[in-house]
Amino acid sequence: AWFWNERFWLPHNVTWADLKNTEEATFPQAEDLYLAFPLAFCIFMVRLIFERFVAKPCAIALNIQANGPQIAPPNAILEKVFTAITKHPDEKRLEGLSKQLDWDVRSIQRWFRQRRNQEKPSTLTRFCESMWRFSFYLYVFTYGVRFLKKTPWLWNTRHCWYNYPYQPLTTDLHYYYILELSFYWSLMFSQFTDIKRKDFGIMFLHHLVCIFLITFSYVNNMARVGTLVLCLHDSADALLEAAKMANYAKFQKMCDLLFVMFAVVFITTRLGIFPLWVLNTTLFESWEIVGPYPSWWVFNLLLLLIQGLNCFWSYLIVKIACKAVSRGKVSKDDRSDIESSSDEEDSEPPGKNPHTATTTNGTSGTNGYLLTGSCSMDD
């Protein structure tokens, strides 16, 4: 009873009984959301089939090889240090290992880099993952646009609040919401087995906020404005995954072009349209038409948190773009875990530290990152 307190969830003088389904109208019900769990499992299974029977043949047709990184030569002492102590030994430990093994420090550094890179997935694996995400993002964004262009609240956001919360749930809206929620649940679980990234914590937070936001807005029937948020945030994701695929296939110019398109769409939608259009209606138009109440505050705080993540990712995208301008191509994303290849590292002068790349989502958001070398997006 305390969790479903009507004074928290609903506007003044509205009760749950008012939102029960009738023969005349259907409203969102909390129990509808249980459908997301079996559907999330189905999405995960579809992904496995898609990657195996669609994405992999496409990758092979593009001459993308399944070869992994160079394997570090077996060494019991270094392996023990790597697994039990540190994967990034400091200078003092390197000198101690050098004396113990009678190896030069450079060789030990190379061994540790090769050993770290051993855990990297192959380019084929990355391509298949990106092709799956590209296909899903393209489908769900296309569906969202086709659905929303028939709705009055796309053209006038005040319709998100007229007669709220007595707004009937349509079949298309229900399908759109459950599909998005199921996909985010599938990402929540698959990210523990997918390619690991340094922005894992941020992406985990992003997925949690998205799931909570979708669930929250469905239960208190803020689904109309929720569809605007979902479609707007899906707009750039397919471009990012397409740029990664172009990189893996070594289509340099296409990768650069797609990345520029992604950056423009991402920054325009997340830093321009989202605050000026969506936040404007959730904060000001809803205040004027419906008035604030407890769950209204929570909903807007979640949207502001999403906007904070948008600002963080936009900063990283601009940083990549500035590097691209100076180097003439997209080279590294500050989000990637993936280190330089062993061959590149071996060619470094002895006095230099190994290069590493770090990652930014991505995508929902933008959950992708750029590899070393030309335009290299690697989610």
Side-chain angles (χ1 to χ4, degrees):
W2 66 266
F3 182 81
W4 294 110
N5 189 304
E6 293 163 339
R7 298 287 60 80
F8 170 79
W9 288 95
L10 302 173
H12 187 60
N13 291 331
V14 179
T15 67
W16 291 118
D18 298 329
L19 299 178
K20 287 293 184 183
N21 292 335
T22 65
E23 293 182 359
E24 292 77 25
T26 300
F27 299 102
Q29 306 296 316
E31 54 267 24
D32 296 345
L33 300 176
Y34 288 127
L35 292 171
F37 295 104
L39 187 55
F41 177 76
C42 292
I43 288 175
F44 182 73
M45 297 306 296
V46 169
R47 171 187 171 174
L48 296 180
I49 295 170
F50 179 90
E51 290 184 355
R52 174 68 179 85
F53 295 103
V54 179
K56 188 175 180 180
C58 290
I60 294 172
L62 292 169
N63 295 318
I64 296 174
Q65 303 299 318
N67 298 334
Q70 184 177 347
I71 305 298
N75 187 292
I77 295 174
L78 295 181
E79 185 67 27
K80 185 177 180 180
V81 173
F82 183 88
T83 55
I85 302 176
T86 178
K87 297 181 180 181
H88 299 270
D90 55 23
E91 190 173 331
K92 184 177 179 181
R93 190 176 297 278
L94 286 171
E95 291 175 356
L97 290 170
S98 176
K99 293 176 183 178
Q100 184 178 356
L101 296 172
D102 195 25
W103 287 18
D104 61 84
V105 171
R106 177 67 179 171
S107 297
I108 296 174
Q109 287 177 323
R110 184 182 302 114
W111 188 94
F112 272 92
R113 287 194 292 272
Q114 290 176 349
R115 182 63 182 83
R116 288 193 296 268
N117 288 337
Q118 246 178 254
E119 301 177 354
K120 294 194 306 183
S122 66
T123 302
L124 180 65
T125 301
R126 298 186 194 120
F127 180 90
C128 291
E129 180 179 315
S130 289
M131 188 170 180
W132 157 250
R133 296 194 182 197
F134 167 78
S135 302
F136 183 87
Y137 289 141
L138 183 62
Y139 167 73
V140 77
F141 176 66
T142 303
Y143 179 87
V145 170
R146 292 182 62 186
F147 162 65
L148 284 171
K149 71 180 184 181
K150 298 180 292 185
T151 64
W153 60 88
L154 175 67
W155 314 105
N156 181 358
T157 53
R158 298 178 72 87
H159 280 279
C160 292
W161 313 108
Y162 290 152
N163 199 36
Y164 175 83
Y166 307 106
Q167 298 168 341
L169 178 69
T170 65
T171 302
D172 288 343
L173 194 155
H174 177 259
Y175 171 77
Y176 189 30
Y177 246 69
I178 296 299
L179 182 63
E180 289 273 15
L181 181 61
S182 302
F183 180 67
Y184 277 108
W185 271 120
S186 72
L187 287 182
M188 271 292 289
F189 298 118
S190 66
Q191 69 177 346
F192 293 98
T193 57
D194 285 345
I195 300 167
K196 293 295 186 295
R197 306 162 183 83
K198 285 189 177 179
D199 66 339
F200 176 86
I202 295 174
M203 289 309 303
F204 187 78
L205 173 63
H206 174 266
H207 297 336
L208 275 179
V209 172
C210 287
I211 288 171
F212 193 64
L213 190 57
I214 293 171
T215 302
F216 196 88
S217 60
Y218 186 85
V219 170
N220 67 3
N221 204 14
M222 289 186 180
R224 289 187 175 185
V225 74
T227 58
L228 300 180
V229 176
L230 289 171
C231 192
L232 195 64
H233 280 74
D234 287 336
S235 58
D237 292 338
L239 289 171
L240 177 62
E241 301 302 333
K244 295 177 198 174
M245 290 191 295
N247 167 64
Y248 301 142
K250 302 187 186 304
F251 298 150
Q252 172 69 49
K253 291 183 179 179
M254 183 181 294
C255 177
D256 291 342
L257 175 62
L258 287 168
F259 177 76
V260 170
M261 292 171 62
F262 158 73
V264 170
V265 172
F266 186 94
I267 293 173
T268 301
T269 55
R270 310 285 179 104
L271 298 190
I273 299 175
F274 182 67
L276 296 178
W277 187 48
V278 175
L279 291 181
N280 175 66
T281 192
T282 61
L283 288 169
F284 303 111
E285 291 179 349
S286 65
W287 183 296
E288 177 188 340
I289 298 171
V290 179
Y293 53 99
S295 69
W296 179 93
W297 289 101
V298 174
F299 180 70
N300 279 286
L301 285 173
L302 290 171
L303 290 178
L304 291 172
L305 179 56
I306 289 287
Q307 182 61 9
L309 293 173
N310 289 340
C311 292
F312 171 73
W313 283 316
S314 296
Y315 159 74
L316 293 171
I317 290 169
V318 171
K319 191 174 179 182
I320 298 164
C322 291
K323 289 181 181 179
V325 170
S326 63
R327 298 177 183 179
K329 59 184 179 181
V330 180
S331 58
K332 293 182 185 178
D333 180 345
D334 290 325
R335 308 180 350 159
S336 177
D337 287 349
I338 306 303
E339 301 188 17
S340 304
S341 69
S342 299
D343 294 340
E344 289 172 335
E345 289 164 342
D346 291 345
S347 65
E348 290 291 334
K352 284 193 176 183
N353 291 326
H355 291 285
T356 57
T358 53
T359 69
T360 49
N361 147 91
T363 112
S364 278
T366 66
N367 47 355
Y369 54 78
L370 301 174
L371 277 174
T372 25
S374 335
C375 168
S376 50
M377 299 211 168
D378 189 359
D379 188 25

